[in-house]
Amino acid sequence: MELRTFAGGLHPPDSKQYSAHKAIENCPLPEELIIPAAQHIGAPAEICVAVGDQVKKGTVIANPKGFVSVPVHASTSGEVIAVEPRLHPSGRLLPAVVIKADGKDEWDESLSGSDPDQLDADSLKKMLCAAGIVGLGGATFPTHVKLSPPADKPIDTLILNGVECEPFLTADHRLMLEESERIIDGVKILLKILGISKAVIGIEANKPDAIAKLTQDCAPHGIAVQALEVKYPQGAEKQLIDAITGRQVPSGGLPMDCGVVVQNVGTAAAISDAIRLGHPLVERIATVTGPGIKEPKNLKIAIGTPLSHLVEYCGGLNGEPGKIIMGGPMMGQTQLSLEAPAIRGTSGLLIFGKEQISTKPAGPCLRCGRCITVCPIHLQPTTIATYARLELVDEAENYNALDCIECGCCTYICPASLPLVQSIRHIKGGIMAKRRKS
């Protein structure tokens, strides 16, 4: 099969050997779950339970605020023992509901599923919103919003993202191997909502078993599978669309601007559960891995499980951790400690020991141009970063800083160890602040 790709990017060691061969395990419930109200892009949900309330698995504990928002649900049955700010993976103290598990893990009796063939597109989208479905690739954008493009943005192609190009992570790989029927069912529901017939699942060529499995299973349903060159960030939306369709998302635009909707394979599986079973998004697959973990695993985890509990289930730490990352090493969030909980966007927990962390200080720019060569958006990272350090907001904006997808390729390749993506992220905040004032 021909391998497709995009211009730019690079190929860091994928380091997936720690967990790629490990089947998904169910992680036991912790004694307490910490469920933040902020788990999606858009307005945080508003907590609607109080201390002492009894909840079941799937009970709404926070209501959405606005169109770009979704409810939050209890991840198990038990008692609400606290409603207070707790450490969030973002590093801030944010409102959360703490549930003491009763060990029964009983679903809310009011939840029920439906036959998607008997529902229209609007009814299906309302069910996805009520179930709190968001993008599980890490962006956590509410799915019902993504499936509601304006009338002047017609969609003709659905792309399923099974790339998982971040090094170390293998959760989507295992999901495709072990639960392909849920993914395919979710794809068929998505096609019905969008009113189209074309769907393509993109998978990197370093997962030949998943490519073979889905190619065979998808054939009867008319769903195509496209093998992609192993290159980072192959799984970024704009690069994935370019590789599969040859279309370019315009500067400042969205996938809908070129007739495409992109969803993660994990999201598709969650969509099937939400419609068929009536189950909200209260658990997900995540990879716990890295040289700092004694026994890396792929786990099905309850949302709100403390990171420390995941580490304990994986045999504990290999010595003192040097760096803790939620997600992959290129775009994941560095964590202050293991006290924060896993949330809907937690695709993985990656831990390095101190001996694996580079302490090389940043030097002066060598003008080598490597950052420009690998930038998948074709920006000039070192120029934008220079403007960022000088707080020259207008100049950085003129160099299209807002188009940066923060993939980290520039920082990874820089021989001077310059924190380029961090500088660009900083000035993007300045540009957005300027726009809000004007």
Side-chain angles (χ1 to χ4, degrees), residues 177-196:
L177 284 178
E178 299 179 38
E179 303 186 30
S180 61
E181 69 284 351
R182 290 173 62 215
I183 296 172
I184 292 170
D185 190 53
V187 172
K188 292 163 69 177
I189 294 170
L190 285 164
L191 289 173
K192 177 168 184 177
I193 293 173
L194 293 169
I196 61 175

Side-chain angles (χ1 to χ4, degrees), residues 265-330:
V265 290
T267 310
I271 285 171
S272 174
D273 294 346
I275 303 299
R276 298 273 182 192
L277 307 175
H279 289 175
L281 182 53
V282 297
E283 55 193 16
R284 65 159 298 150
I285 312 299
T287 305
V288 181
T289 186
I293 290 287
K294 284 188 176 177
E295 190 178 353
K297 295 176 183 284
N298 296 295
L299 300 176
K300 179 177 285 187
I301 60 173
I303 303 301
T305 300
L307 302 183
S308 57
H309 183 79
L310 302 180
V311 170
E312 183 180 351
Y313 183 66
C314 291
L317 296 169
N318 271 328
E320 189 176 352
K323 194 168 190 178
I324 304 169
I325 302 173
M326 182 175 286
M330 300 297 284

Side-chain angles (χ1 to χ4, degrees), residues 346-368:
T346 303
S347 55
L349 174 62
L350 173 59
I351 298 182
F352 293 103
K354 286 192 171 181
E355 62 277 13
Q356 286 100 34
I357 302 302
S358 171
T359 56
K360 180 183 175 184
C365 176
L366 305 177
R367 316 300 291 176
C368 66

